[in-house]
Amino acid sequence: LVSEEGYLYSMGSNECGQLGLGFAGEMLPNVKLPTLVSDLRVKQVQCGDYHSIAINKEGQAFGWGEDEYGAIGARISSSFEPA
């Protein structure tokens, strides 16, 4: 979810850290209520099964979750922080 002010909220499965909340798997497997990702303000967000990508108001890209095949552009196997 993106609020009218551009704040990003996420909910659902966090198996690979794809919610951008800094946790993954057993620590926070499922988030049942919309949760503020950070003070990051975005204009667009796209979500895959195991990753999420957001573009902020300045045009910077942020990615969270599984990076298999370069899905979030971090060149690592998994990420729990903005890439």
Side-chain angles (χ1 to χ4, degrees), residues 7 10-11 14 17-20 24 26-27 31 33-34 38-39 41-42 44 54 56 58 61-62 66-67 72 75 80:
Y7 291 106
S10 62
M11 61 187 284
N14 195 45
Q18 65 266 41
L19 298 183
E26 295 177 13
M27 291 177 60
V31 178
L33 297 173
S38 71
D39 61 355
R41 295 186 62 181
V42 303
Q44 186 175 3
N56 72 4
E58 290 76 33
F62 296 83
E66 180 63 51
D67 191 42
I72 64 171
R75 296 184 188 195
F80 306 118

Side-chain angles (χ1 to χ4, degrees), residues 38-59:
S38 71
D39 61 355
L40 178 70
R41 295 186 62 181
V42 303
K43 64 179 182 179
Q44 186 175 3
V45 65
Q46 293 292 317
C47 304
D49 289 336
Y50 302 104
H51 68 279
S52 300
I53 303 288
I55 306 294
N56 72 4
K57 304 238 180 229
E58 290 76 33

